[in-house]
C-alpha cells in the first residue's frame, strides 16, 4: 500500500524542483520505503504524482540498481568486489559469507532474512575489503569480523 | 611560507567539525562572509582563475575558466555539485561529505554567488547513505542559520540548495548523464558540445563541479589565490587529496601538494608506509581504474597532471592503486573490466558489446583457456572501442587492457602456454 502520507511527501517533492519530473528518483525511494521494493502500485503512484505514464516511470526505475525489482531479504549485505577490494581479498570474504549463509551472491536465504550481493566500488577502497549492511558501512572486514557480524545480525 | 599546507583536511579530525558550531569555531563560513563583503561575483571568478584550481573530478579542467564560459542569456542558471563518486580507487568525496559537510556547503554557496546562480543541487551517489545524511543535516543547519536562503548574511544574494540522491549508476557521474538523471530520466549521456556551461540542466547554463573542487573554493577565498597557487607545480597548483589503496601498508586519503613524487606517497612513513609484505611494486594505477598502468620504473614521477600524462597515464580522480609483484595482472584487469561491462549504460554499441567481449576473452585467458591470438584480439577490440564510443566510459574500459598488454605481455602469454598464472592465484585477505 502506498499511503496517502507517502503520496503527500511525493507531491511536496515534485513542487520543490524547478520541474516536477526531477522528483521521480526521490519519489521512487519513497515508494520503495513503503513496500520494500518497487511494485506496480508504487510505479502508478509516482506516475500519478509526477504526471507521466507508468511505463515512463518504470523505464527510469529499471535503469538504476538501487530500486529492488523483487522483495529483498530483511538484511541486505553488499560486498564490494571492485579492483581495490579484490587486491585485498574480497573474493575470500565473499566465499566465506556464501558458505555461512548457504547462498550464492545475488541470492536471498529461503527464510527471507538475508540477501547477499556483490556490488561495485563503494568509495571505501582505503579500508578494503568493505561491505554494507542495509546501506551502512562495515570497513576493513576480516573473516573473523564477518563471523562476528553475522552472529550479531542473527 | 610553510612547505606543506592542508586546505581541505586540516580540521577534518576535529571532534564535532561536522556541526555548524564547531565548523564556525574553526573559521567556517568566514570565506563566505568575505566573498559577499569584499568581492563582486566576477572578481571571485578572477580569483579562482588566478589560483590555478583545476577540476578534481578527473579531467582537470581549469575551474575559473569553466565558470567564465557560462552562457550569458536570460535562462536560469544552475549549479550541480558532482558527489557521485564511484570511480574504483576513489574515496575522497565520501570522506569530505561524511566528515566536514559544511565545507562543501560553503563551497557551493561561494560558487553560486560567483556564478550568479540561485538554485544549486548537490547530487550524491545513492549508495552513500551516511554522506547524504551528513550533507542534508548541514544544509538544514545552514538554512536555519540564514546561511542558505534569502539575503544571506544581510547581502542581496539568495540561493536554494537541493540535496538530490542518485540511485545506483556509475554513468551518472558523467556530467551530462548526471543532468539527465537530475531531470528524472535514465542516465544516458548527452552529446557534447554543447557543454553544460552553454546548455545544461533544464536547458539553462550550468556549472558542474566535483565535490572536492568546490570544497577547495573557500580556502582560496580565505587565504587568497596567490597563497593557494604557491603550492603545487607550475601548471598543477595547490593540493589535492590522493586516495591510496591496494597493496600498501597504510592505505587512506592524503592531502598533498600536486607534484609530490609517487614514491613519496607510497613509501613515506607519514603516508603509505611502503608496500604490503615489503614486496616490490608491480604496477601502479595513478588516477582511478579508468587510467593506464604505470610500471615501477615510473615510481619517481611527480603526481601532477602534466608529469603523469608524460609518463603515459592520467592523474584522473586521484585514486592511486598499488599492485605488488604477487598480483596476477590478467586477473586484476579482468576484475577492473567487469566493472565497465556492468556499468556500461548501453546507449552505444562499441561500449555495450565491446566490454562484454573483452571480459569474455579475459576470462578465457585468466582460466588458462585462451589462445595466443586472443591477446591481439583484445587490443584490437580496444582500438574499436576507444575513441569510437559515445562517452569516455568506453575509452576508460580499455586503459588497463592496452597498458597491461604493453607492460606485461609475457604474463598473458604465460597464461596461454601454461594454462595458469605465473604468480599467486587469488589475492589473500589481508
Ligand atoms: N571522479 C570519478 O568518480 C570519475 C572521474 N572520471 C574522470 O572523468 C574524466 C572525464 O570527464 P569529462 O567530463 O568527460 O571530461 P571533459 O574533458 O569533457 O570535461 C571536463 C570539464 O570541463 C568542462 N569543459 C570542457 N571543455 C569546455 C568548454 N570548451 N567550455 C565549457 N566547459 C568545458 C566540461 O563541461 C567538464 O565539466 C576522466 O578524465 C576521468 O578521469 C571518470 C570516471 C569516474
Ligand atoms: C563515466 C564517467 C564518470 C564520471 N564520474 C564522476 C564522478 O563520480 N564524480 C565527478 O566529480 N566527476 C565524474 N566524472 C567527470 C565529470 O563528467 C565532470 O568532468 C566533472 O564532474 C567536472 O567537475 P570538475 O571540473 O570539478 O572536475 C565522470 C566522467 C565520466 C566520463
Ligand atoms: S560509451 Fe558506454 S557508457 Fe558511454 S554512452 Fe556509450 S554505452 Fe553508454
Ligand atoms: S574497490 Fe571496494 S570500495 Fe572501492
Amino acid at each position: 500500500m502506498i499511503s496517502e502520507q507517502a503520496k503527500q511527501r511525493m507531491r511536496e517533492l515534485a513542487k520543490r524542483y524547478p520541474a516536477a519530473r526531477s522528483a521521480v528518483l526521490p519519489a521512487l525511494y519513497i515508494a520503495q520505503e513503503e513496500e520494500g521494493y518497487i511494485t506496480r502500485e508504487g510505479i502508478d503512484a509516482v506516475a500519478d504524482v509526477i504526471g507521466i505514464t507508468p511505463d515512463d516511470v518504470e523505464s527510469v526505475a529499471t535503469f538504476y540498481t538501487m530500486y529492488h525489482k523483487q522483495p529483498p531479504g530483511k538484511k541486505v549485505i553488499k560486498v564490494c568486489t571492485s579492483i581495490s577490494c579484490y587486491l585485498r581479498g574480497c573474493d575470500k570474504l565473499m566465499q566465506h559469507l556464501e558458505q555461512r549463509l548457504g547462498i550464492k551472491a545475488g541470492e536471498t536465504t529461503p527464510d527471507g532474512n538475508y540477501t547477499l550481493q556483490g556490488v561495485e566500488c563503494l568509495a571505501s577502497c582505503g579500508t578494503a575489503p568493505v561491505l554494507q549492511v542495509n546501506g551502512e558501512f562495515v570497513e576493513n572486514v576480516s573473516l573473523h569480523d564477518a563471523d562476528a557480524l553475522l552472529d550479531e545480525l542473527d | 611560507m610553510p612547505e606543506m599546507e592542508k586546505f581541505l583536511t586540516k580540521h577534518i579530525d576535529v571532534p564535532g567539525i561536522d556541526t555548524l558550531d564547531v565548523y564556525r569555531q574553526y573559521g567556517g563560513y568566514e570565506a563566505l562572509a568575505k566573498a559577499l563583503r569584499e568581492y563582486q561575483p566576477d572578481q571571485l571568478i578572477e580569483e579562482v582563475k588566478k589560483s590555478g584550481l583545476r577540476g578534481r573530478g578527473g579531467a582537470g579542467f581549469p575551474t575559473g575558466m569553466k565558470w567564465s564560459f557560462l552562457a550569458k542569456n536570460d535562462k536560469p542558471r544552475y549549479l550541480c555539485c558532482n558527489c557521485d563518486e564511484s570511480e574504483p580507487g576513489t574515496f575522497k568525496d565520501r570522506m569530505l561529505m561524511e566528515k566536514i559537510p559544511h565545507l562543501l556547503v560553503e563551497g557551493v554557496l561561494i560558487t553560486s554567488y560567483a556564478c550568479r546562480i540561485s538554485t544549486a543541487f548537490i547530487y550524491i551517489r545513492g549508495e552513500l547513505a551516511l554522506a547524504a545524511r551528513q550533507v542534508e543535516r548541514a544544509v538544514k543547519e545552514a538554512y536555519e542559520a540564514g546561511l542558505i536562503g534569502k539575503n544571506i548574511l544581510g547581502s542581496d544574494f539568495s540561493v536554494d540548495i537541493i540535496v538530490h540522491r542518485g540511485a545506483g549508476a556509475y554513468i551518472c557521474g558523467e556530467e551530462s548523464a548526471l543532468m539527465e538523471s537530475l531531470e528524472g530520466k535514465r542516465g544516458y549521456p548527452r552529446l557534447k558540445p554543447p557543454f553544460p556551461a552553454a546548455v545544461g540542466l533544464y536547458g539553462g547554463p550550468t556549472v558542474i563541479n566535483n565535490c572536492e573542487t568546490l570544497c577547495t573554493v573557500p580556502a582560496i577565498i580565505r587565504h587568497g589565490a596567490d597563497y593557494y597557487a604557491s603550492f603545487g607545480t607550475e601548471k598543477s597548483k595547490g593540493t589535492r587529496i590522493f586516495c591510496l589503496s591496494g597493496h600498501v601498508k597504510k592505505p587512506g586519503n592524503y592531502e598533498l601538494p600536486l607534484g609530490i613524487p609517487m614514491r613519496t606517497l607510497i613509501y613515506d612513513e607519514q603516508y603509505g608506509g611502503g608496500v604490503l609484505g615489503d614486496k616490490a611494486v608491480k604496477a601502479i594505477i595513478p588516477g582511478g581504474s579508468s587510467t593506464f598502468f604505470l610500471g615501477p620504473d615510473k615510481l619517481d614521477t611527480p603526481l601532477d597532471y602534466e608529469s603523469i600524462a608524460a609518463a603515459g597515464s592520467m592523474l584522473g580522480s586521484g585514486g592511486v592503486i598499488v599492485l605488488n609483484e604477487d598480483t596476477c595482472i590478467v586477473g586484476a584487469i579482468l576484475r577492473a573490466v567487469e566493472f565497465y561491462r556492468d556499468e556500461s549504460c548501453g546507449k552505444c554499441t562499441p561500449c555495450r558489446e565491446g566490454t562484454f567481449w573483452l571480459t569474455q576473452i579475459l576470462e578465457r585467458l585468466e582460466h588458462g583457456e585462451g589462445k595466443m591470438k586472443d591477446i591481439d584480439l583484445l587490443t584490437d577490440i580496444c582500438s574499436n572501442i576507444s575513441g569510437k564510443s559515445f562517452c569516455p566510459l568506453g575509452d576508460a574500459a580499455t586503459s588497463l587492457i592496452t597498458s597491461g598488454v604493453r607492460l606485461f605481455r609475457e604474463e598473458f602469454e604465460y597464461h596461454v602456454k601454461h594454462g595458469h598464472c605465473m604468480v599467486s592465484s587469488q589475492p589473500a585477505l589481508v
Side-chain angles (χ1 to χ4, degrees), chain B residues 128-150:
Chain B
L128 307 183
L130 175 61
R133 284 200 301 275
Q134 288 287 75
V135 174
E136 273 162 6
R137 206 192 60 185
V139 165
K140 188 162 175 279
E141 275 185 312
Y143 261 111
E144 284 162 6
L147 293 161
I148 312 177
K150 295 234 171 325

Side-chain angles (χ1 to χ4, degrees), chain B residues 26-42:
Chain B
Y26 284 82
Y29 292 105
E30 278 173 20
L32 174 67
K34 183 175 173 190
L36 295 174
R37 197 175 55 231
E38 295 175 21
Y39 291 86
Q40 289 303 310
D42 293 346

Side-chain angles (χ1 to χ4, degrees), chain B residues 207-342:
Chain B
V207 177
I208 302 194
N209 276 118
N210 169 259
C211 174
E212 183 188 352
T213 310
L214 294 187
C215 284
T216 308
V217 171
I220 292 170
I221 302 310
R222 192 164 165 201
H223 302 285
D226 291 331
Y227 184 66
Y228 184 79
S230 68
F231 297 90
T233 67
E234 180 58 31
K235 288 187 173 153
S236 302
K237 302 221 184 278
T239 63
R240 80 176 289 178
I241 301 173
F242 292 101
C243 317
L244 183 61
S245 71
H247 294 140
V248 289
K249 290 183 185 165
K250 295 195 297 168
N253 280 318
Y254 299 101
E255 181 182 353
L256 291 165
L258 284 142
I260 192 114
M262 225 162 15
R263 188 186 297 280
T264 308
L265 175 70
I266 295 169
Y267 285 96
D268 195 291
E269 280 309 317
Q270 299 175 70
Y271 316 121
V275 178
L276 267 183
D278 294 314
K279 301 272 180 182
V281 167
K282 178 169 199 158
I284 306 125
I285 307 172
S289 70
S290 299
T291 64
F292 302 88
F293 279 120
L294 295 176
D297 57 316
K298 298 283 164 44
L299 266 169
D300 291 307
T301 312
L303 284 159
D304 61 70
Y305 295 95
E306 289 68 33
S307 306
I308 294 292
S313 190
M314 295 182 293
L315 198 57
S317 58
V320 180
I321 308 171
V322 178
L323 286 71
N324 75 10
E325 56 188 326
D326 291 343
T327 317
C328 166
I329 208 76
V330 182
I333 295 174
L334 168 61
R335 182 55 56 93
V337 177
E338 281 171 345
F339 173 88
Y340 296 95
R341 177 199 61 197
D342 294 345

Side-chain angles (χ1 to χ4, degrees), chain A residues 83 86-89 91-92, chain B residues 247 279-283 285 293 321-337 361-369 400-401 404-405 407-416 419-428:
Chain A
I83 183 75
Y86 168 81
L87 295 172
R88 289 256 170 177
D91 288 7
K92 296 235 157 64
Chain B
H247 294 140
K279 301 272 180 182
V281 167
K282 178 169 199 158
I285 307 172
F293 279 120
I321 308 171
V322 178
L323 286 71
N324 75 10
E325 56 188 326
D326 291 343
T327 317
C328 166
I329 208 76
V330 182
I333 295 174
L334 168 61
R335 182 55 56 93
V337 177
I361 298 166
L362 283 164
E363 245 167 63
R364 277 211 299 267
L365 287 163
E366 165 70 353
H367 297 128
E369 291 148 12
L400 291 181
I401 301 178
V405 171
L407 289 169
F408 304 102
R409 191 175 183 102
E410 74 286 3
E411 223 180 293
F412 281 81
E413 290 174 355
Y414 191 100
H415 273 252
V416 175
H420 58 85
C421 184
M422 60 209 277
V423 292
S424 80
S425 52
Q426 207 193 59

Side-chain angles (χ1 to χ4, degrees), chain B residues 29-313:
Chain B
Y29 292 105
E30 278 173 20
L32 174 67
K34 183 175 173 190
L36 295 174
R37 197 175 55 231
E38 295 175 21
Y39 291 86
Q40 289 303 310
D42 293 346
Q43 292 174 315
L44 280 176
I45 297 182
E46 284 312 309
E47 193 70 7
V48 172
K49 268 191 194 164
K50 204 162 74 168
S51 76
L53 175 63
R54 296 171 65 171
R56 304 298 189 228
F61 195 83
T63 304
M65 197 190 291
K66 182 150 79 182
W67 297 356
S68 69
F69 285 165
L70 277 169
K72 293 173 182 58
N73 55 33
D74 53 10
K75 296 211 175 81
R77 290 179 169 188
Y78 298 100
L79 171 67
C80 300
C81 179
N82 191 342
C83 300
D84 194 49
E85 184 168 72
S86 19
E87 169 84 344
T90 317
F91 46 99
K92 61 194 174 62
D93 299 341
R94 177 185 154 218
M95 174 187 73
L96 290 166
M97 288 187 280
E98 287 183 357
K99 291 194 161 182
I100 190 158
H102 279 288
L103 183 62
L104 173 59
V105 173
E106 189 175 4
V108 168
L109 287 168
I110 298 173
T111 305
S112 300
Y113 173 63
C115 298
R116 302 171 195 271
I117 282 161
S118 55
T119 311
F121 296 89
I122 300 178
Y123 185 103
I124 303 178
R125 181 175 172 197
E127 286 88 344
L128 307 183
L130 175 61
R133 284 200 301 275
Q134 288 287 75
V135 174
E136 273 162 6
R137 206 192 60 185
V139 165
K140 188 162 175 279
E141 275 185 312
Y143 261 111
E144 284 162 6
L147 293 161
I148 312 177
K150 295 234 171 325
N151 301 104
I152 295 166
L153 297 174
S155 70
D156 53 12
F157 169 59
S158 303
V159 69
D160 258 319
I161 299 183
I162 300 177
V163 179
H164 188 90
R165 296 188 59 189
Y170 168 71
I171 191 61
C172 291
E174 192 282 329
E175 57 182 10
S176 64
L178 184 149
M179 296 189 297
E180 288 285 297
S181 176
L182 198 41
E183 291 181 8
K185 301 179 209 148
R186 298 183 135 223
Y188 289 137
R190 298 176 185 170
L191 198 64
K192 289 200 290 190
F195 288 98
V199 183
L201 192 65
Y202 311 120
T206 302
V207 177
I208 302 194
N209 276 118
N210 169 259
C211 174
E212 183 188 352
T213 310
L214 294 187
C215 284
T216 308
V217 171
I220 292 170
I221 302 310
R222 192 164 165 201
H223 302 285
D226 291 331
Y227 184 66
Y228 184 79
S230 68
F231 297 90
T233 67
E234 180 58 31
K235 288 187 173 153
S236 302
K237 302 221 184 278
T239 63
R240 80 176 289 178
I241 301 173
F242 292 101
C243 317
L244 183 61
S245 71
H247 294 140
V248 289
K249 290 183 185 165
K250 295 195 297 168
N253 280 318
Y254 299 101
E255 181 182 353
L256 291 165
L258 284 142
I260 192 114
M262 225 162 15
R263 188 186 297 280
T264 308
L265 175 70
I266 295 169
Y267 285 96
D268 195 291
E269 280 309 317
Q270 299 175 70
Y271 316 121
V275 178
L276 267 183
D278 294 314
K279 301 272 180 182
V281 167
K282 178 169 199 158
I284 306 125
I285 307 172
S289 70
S290 299
T291 64
F292 302 88
F293 279 120
L294 295 176
D297 57 316
K298 298 283 164 44
L299 266 169
D300 291 307
T301 312
L303 284 159
D304 61 70
Y305 295 95
E306 289 68 33
S307 306
I308 294 292
S313 190

